Amino acid sequence: MPPARDADAGHDGDAPAPCPDAATLGDAVARERRASGPALRARASGRAYSYHDFITTSYKAGNVLRHLGVRPGDDAHVASEHVPEPVLSFYGAAQLGAVTRFRTEAGGPPPRVAVAPAARADEFDLPPGHNLAVYGDPPADPSVTHWETEVWSENPAVHPVAVDASDPLFAAGDRTYAHGEVLAAATAVIDGVGIDPGTEVLLRGPLTDPAIVVAGLVAPILAGATVVLPDSTEWAGSDGHPIEVDGEACGASVLDLGTD
C-alpha cells in the first residue's frame, strides 16, 4: 500500500508554503513542497498522507499510468469516490498532460486508462491498448492492474513530460478545463474564502462537479492546506456549497465553472 497514517495523526507536522505562481498542477506537487504536514485525510478509512507522502505517491501514480500507456492528451477515467486513490491518480495524470474525467459508472468512448474500485472491475470492457487499474482487493483478472501493488513498487521519479498552462487538465460534462484556468479559479477560491497553510478543506459533493475539483482538490494543495475526504454521509443533502473551510461551509462564488 502507498504510505499513509491514521487520520487522527493528520494534524502533526509543518505545512508547505503556498504555491501562488504555479503554471500547471504539477507545480503544486514539486519536490521542494514535500513537508511533514498533512496534505490529504480520508475520514471513512482513517488514512492520511503528509505532503511528503502525497507528492511522492503522486509521482508513483503518474508513472504507473504512463506504463499503462497514458500520454499527453489521453483520457483517464477515474472513479468519483472519496478515497485517496482517485485523488492521487488525478494528480499523477496531471503531470503526464492527461485529461482526467471523474465518473460514477463505466461507458462512453473508452479511455486510455480507467481507475476504479476492484468491486466494479466487471463493468469495464476495454479494447486492446486500453487498460484498467483497480484499487482495493486484488483483481481476479491477471490482465487488470492492481493500483496499490504497482504504485507501492514504482519509482518516485519526476515525469519526463512537458506540460503547459494551456494543456487540458480535466473534463466534466461537455467542457474541458485547462491547467491555467483551473489554477486561476483555485487561487480565487484561496483568496476569496481564506484558505491558509494547515487549513482543513472538506469536500461537500462528488468529484464529477468541477467546483468540487477546483475548490476541494486543487485549491487546498496549492495553499498548503489539507484536503479532507468526507465519509458517505457528510455531504448528502448539503446546501450546494462545494467545501467547508475549518468547519464553515463556503460557497466559493468566485468559481465560474459548470457542467453545462
Side-chain angles (χ1 to χ4, degrees):
M1 293 284 291
R5 299 180 293 163
D6 188 283
D8 290 339
H11 293 280
D12 298 334
D14 296 324
C19 187
D21 299 323
T24 70
L25 189 58
D27 294 336
V29 288
R31 284 194 182 277
E32 58 269 22
R33 300 196 77 228
R34 293 185 298 180
S36 59
L40 175 70
R41 295 198 302 115
R43 287 183 174 174
S45 64
R47 288 187 288 164
Y49 290 76
S50 68
Y51 265 87
H52 187 284
D53 291 340
F54 182 85
I55 289 171
T56 298
T57 308
S58 79
Y59 296 165
K60 292 185 173 188
N63 278 324
V64 170
L65 294 174
R66 186 163 56 88
H67 292 324
L68 291 175
V70 174
R71 298 294 183 266
D74 282 346
D75 286 338
H77 287 185
V78 177
S80 176
E81 289 200 333
H82 292 147
V83 294
E85 290 82 4
V87 181
L88 290 160
S89 295
F90 168 58
Y91 271 84
Q95 296 169 63
L96 301 177
V99 184
T100 295
R101 183 181 290 274
F102 291 103
R103 296 181 62 94
T104 57
E105 58 186 16
R112 181 62 59 193
V113 171
V115 180
R120 291 181 49 200
D122 290 343
E123 297 177 19
F124 295 86
D125 183 18
L126 299 175
H130 301 254
N131 294 291
L132 173 64
V134 300
Y135 53 85
D137 294 332
D141 184 347
S143 69
V144 174
T145 296
H146 188 220
W147 195 96
E148 289 94 332
T149 298
E150 297 304 318
V151 168
W152 177 252
S153 62
E154 185 53 62
N155 178 20
V158 178
H159 314 296
V161 178
V163 181
D164 295 325
S166 59
D167 289 337
L169 173 59
F170 76 91
D174 296 329
R175 286 194 59 184
T176 300
Y177 303 94
H179 283 255
E181 67 176 317
V182 169
L183 291 173
T187 299
V189 172
I190 292 167
D191 295 340
V193 303
I195 301 176
D196 299 311
T199 297
E200 288 201 333
V201 179
L202 174 73
L203 279 63
R204 304 184 82 232
L207 300 180
T208 52
D209 182 346
I212 304 299
V213 175
V214 172
L217 294 189
V218 177
I221 299 299
L222 205 62
T226 304
V227 175
V228 180
L229 303 176
D231 65 27
S232 59
T233 62
E234 282 182 291
W235 58 272
S238 63
D239 56 8
H241 292 167
I243 57 173
E244 289 181 10
V245 174
D246 285 340
E248 181 178 351
C250 295
S253 59
V254 290
L255 289 173
D256 184 22
L257 297 171
T259 56
D260 39 73

